[in-house]
Amino acid sequence: MTRATLVASVFAWAVRAGFAILGARPLVGLAAAVIGEHPRGDAVVWDEGGAWLLEVADEGRAALRPVMVETAGGAFVGLLAWSIAIGAMLSAARAGASSDVRTWGGLALRRASSLALIGALELAAKAAMFLFSGALVGFAWRLVEPTSRGPNAFVVGAGLGACAAWLLGVVIELARAELVWVDAGIWGSLVEARAWLRARSFEVLRAAGVRALTVALGLGLVSHVVTGSLPTHPYVALVAVLFGAAVPVVARARFHAALAACFEAPPVNP
Amino acid sequence: MARPRTPPTHRARLAHRALGHALRLAVAGLLVLLAGVLAGLAEGGSSRTAARGHEREVTARRGPVRYTLEARLDDARHEVHGRGTIEWRNDGAIPQRELWLHAYLEAFRDSRAPLLEPDMARGFRGGAALTHLGGLTVKRLFARELDVDLWPRADRSEPTDVRVPLPRPVAPGETLTMEVEFIAALPSLVLRTGFAGEFHMVAQWFPKLAKVEPDGRWAHFPFRRFSEFYANFGDYDVTVEVPAPMVVGATGAPVESSEQDGRRRVRYLAERVHDFAFAAWSGFEEIRQMAGDVEVVALFPRGELEEAELELATAERGLRHYSERYGAYPYRRLTLVRPPPEASAAGGMEYPTLVTTGGSTRGRAVGVRALEALVLHELAHQWFQGIVASDENRSPALDEGLATYAEIEAMDAMWGGASVFDALGLRVSSEAVSRIVAKGVAGGGPLDRPAETHSDGRSYVGLVYARPATLLRMLAKIYGEDAMRRALRRYASEQRFAHPTPSDLVEVVRREVGEQAAIALRRGFEGARLDARVVRFASRKGSSRASWEGTVAVAREGSLEVPVELEIWAESGARSRLVWDAPGSDASLEWRGDSPIAAVVLDPEGKLLLDEQRRNDSRGAPRPTPRLYGFFGLALSVVAEVLWP
Ligand SMILES: [Zn+2]
């Protein structure tokens, strides 16, 4: 790993970790207000029976709307910072070990508005995909198979939505690479990305698959550690959350390296 | 009756421990099976004796009514053609000049009937549109002793609640035998009764006598959205005739069966019950199992064997649990009917010796037990409504409250503090869910009030199911589980085959749990609320060295005056308890300890289930919240990974 990639990755990790902790603040505040001044603090939420858990959920519901607005605002700011961080990682992926931070970092900043725009569009498209596919499959399912046994239609729909969203994410990541590496403009990058995916679909999808698998396994493991240690070792859980923020970053860096190799390889015959 | 839709908390998802549950269940199933086989081999004789015991109890005292009916199902027209006799003995203290008959199906004669007002369904069952109307057409009601057809003189201005004047008074103790003929047109399934495709749930289908109270007053009522039922115990001898491919599940037990010309006739006898319902469908499959000397039969749609097995196992466990808590199940048979998905409006309802079920096994991976909860609830009704037959229309909170209490108690006894959710390191009990629903309707008025006074499903579910159940659970936690167990056991045994009122429940609580608990129960039924809180605390140096004195000011809103425990955390780390056990809306309690007070926790064990707010229950310094950061941080990380670039 080059120094440039390391610096960009640390920045990206800081964005993810910062979002996890700072973004949680309004929700934590809401829950803490319900717990009040109980000397056992937030440990009561994990008590067997869940009396406090439900109390927090029930009392918190009343004040949830402003808190969700705040969290969504934080998520949007985080998204913009994350878009720039990905740009920096892409830039670093082809900058070579000796490059000056100002050179590749500046590149990411110059593309910041385009990266942010693409990021926002991607978020909107993904959210729409989840909602639509969930609802659509839910509806179709009820028509054909109304038993209580089958998998939950919404879950099936969301699963399909996740696959579509994943594919969309891959294409957009290629567009981002085009944007940072070639500066083809947003539209030009999207067109190039499609062509790229067609020409090198195997390598690209394999690398994207490895990334998705790494993230899924990594976050699954982190979730297991976090939920398991929360009641008794809350600070271990906190560290696990911070560590967890590195999982998508590392997977991303490896993905970018694969893309860069693919980008620099001599073109294959169509 | 019907259990409310599963609260949203029941529905929470995500995976954990699926395998553990499955394995435990499989092992439990095997053990039950093995035990059943061994018991069957070893105790054939004694179970026969016990069965005779059952018969003695159910035939011990004839009820004042006897229905002998033939019910022929015309499955193409969705009609039941009924004929037979209804015998009625005037059990009241005064001569009667009239009879009251319920014709429940008449409520489905008009799709715009108040019964089907969709706004009222919110939060409860029965919101679908009525696509096929129902009704009850009585052709004849000939009283042999009076030698007259009574039906032409009937006053049917309220079609579900019919007054039948008698040509001469019928004296106390005198019996009337009425020859009856009627056509019950089943509605499309919207609310408990009716048909969906070929599935027929035949309930509230015959002209049914209202009940005469001991003082001679008729307990009759028009059938409304939240109305349920109330009737005398009696004997039912019902012969059901259906197309031969159909499988029937009915109240009571089959005694004769024959098949001719493509029709199947099964005669069912049910003694000492107050209703008769049956389900008929060609799509049923059947499994059965002995639970002690009770035969449990489960009818279920093809492809839902897994659910049916779980229902059977839960019913077997529930029968044992409830028999121990509330007295033996007195009948020989229990039928579980699991309607197909398109007929789910028939599910979750209790009839004597027959319950309809429902609910999926989805969510078991995260400890959600919707199906088990439903079975345990409806099964609890075999006691609280079936054997202890309170007036469901006048006091729906009595039987629903007790059935929900029994369900919660059984759920938590069987699966501990994680009976409805167990994933992500979070565990939720049935009792905790009930508390939240109950506190959501605080201030909603009295719990003990007639069914028709409830304005919507949410208020009905909260005030009739959750709040009385939570009130009783709260009293059990405060005054002792054993005392409450004794009280309910006594209630169930004193009121076995009787028709108690809420005051009878208050009375047994007075005798077994105490005066204070009885007052709280009565006030709770009147709608009393509770919000206890710590107002402030202070401590000062005591007279002797190394001693500190403190005062804790507490207050409460509402008139549910129960003892309130306080836990005092001293700065030294020592903890001690104080109890505020006096009437009134506030108090100042004295405390002595080895160091100043650091914090005060009201109700440290969470006994005050109806306490409306917990945020005002503690005083001290705010604590750090690393767990909340960890939990929400993880959640946001996952959200970012899914939605962000
Ligand atoms: Zn019920």
Side-chain angles (χ1 to χ4, degrees), chain B residues 1-4 228 348-350 377-378 381 384 392 399-401 403-404 407 465:
Chain B
M1 104 134 210
R3 201 173 169 277
E228 289 200 330
M349 181 62 193
E350 73 283 5
H377 180 91
E378 304 311 336
H381 274 305
F384 301 116
E392 291 184 282
D399 73 300
E400 288 302 350
T404 307
E407 170 204 343
Y465 291 76

Side-chain angles (χ1 to χ4, degrees), chain A residues 93-94 181 196 200 203 254-267:
Chain A
R94 292 197 63 224
W181 294 339
W196 189 3
R200 312 290 291 262
E203 287 128 298
R254 293 195 49 190
F255 182 45
H256 288 171
L259 288 187
C262 178
F263 187 78
E264 281 153 17

Side-chain angles (χ1 to χ4, degrees), chain B residues 145-179:
Chain B
E145 291 80 355
L146 306 175
D147 194 27
V148 62
D149 187 352
L150 298 170
W151 195 248
R153 0 165 114 232
D155 168 8
R156 289 184 279 148
S157 46
E158 168 53 62
T160 60
D161 188 19
V162 179
R163 189 175 73 89
V164 182
L166 298 171
R168 65 156 174 85
V170 171
E174 193 182 346
T175 296
L176 279 191
T177 310
M178 288 163 282
E179 295 169 11

Side-chain angles (χ1 to χ4, degrees), chain B residues 111-304:
Chain B
S111 61
R112 288 158 306 162
L115 179 77
L116 301 164
E117 183 60 55
D119 277 355
M120 288 185 81
R122 207 167 296 141
F124 198 61
R125 60 166 65 212
L130 187 66
T131 55
H132 188 281
L133 302 179
L136 179 69
T137 306
V138 177
K139 303 222 159 140
R140 182 174 142 85
L141 185 70
F142 181 83
R144 280 181 198 157
E145 291 80 355
L146 306 175
D147 194 27
V148 62
D149 187 352
L150 298 170
W151 195 248
R153 0 165 114 232
D155 168 8
R156 289 184 279 148
S157 46
E158 168 53 62
T160 60
D161 188 19
V162 179
R163 189 175 73 89
V164 182
L166 298 171
R168 65 156 174 85
V170 171
E174 193 182 346
T175 296
L176 279 191
T177 310
M178 288 163 282
E179 295 169 11
V180 64
E181 225 181 298
F182 60 92
I183 297 176
L186 300 173
S188 56
L189 246 171
V190 174
L191 201 62
R192 306 187 196 99
T193 181
F195 70 92
E198 283 177 41
F199 172 86
H200 292 79
M201 184 70 227
V202 187
Q204 295 97 42
W205 54 284
F206 55 91
K208 191 170 176 191
L209 280 165
K211 180 181 180 303
V212 180
E213 297 294 27
D215 63 2
R217 181 182 60 84
W218 283 88
H220 66 95
F221 48 88
F223 190 47
R224 296 282 182 261
R225 160 66 75 178
F226 299 118
S227 302
E228 289 200 330
F229 314 101
Y230 184 46
N232 281 112
F233 285 97
D235 297 340
Y236 287 78
D237 177 343
V238 181
T239 302
V240 175
E241 190 201 301
V242 296
M246 280 194 166
V247 178
V248 178
T251 298
V255 290
E256 278 172 45
S257 169
S258 65
E259 226 177 286
Q260 202 180 3
D261 303 328
R263 305 281 296 178
R264 178 200 306 274
R265 286 168 62 86
V266 190
R267 181 174 167 215
Y268 290 89
L269 285 185
E271 289 167 323
R272 250 185 152 179
V273 295
H274 49 60
D275 200 1
F276 187 98
F278 66 94
W281 188 37
S282 51
F284 276 136
E285 299 202 344
E286 184 185 305
I287 51 175
R288 52 181 73 203
Q289 180 183 326
M290 292 304 291
D293 55 353
V294 179
E295 184 178 42
V296 188
V297 180
L299 299 179
F300 59 98
R302 234 163 259 134
E304 298 192 14

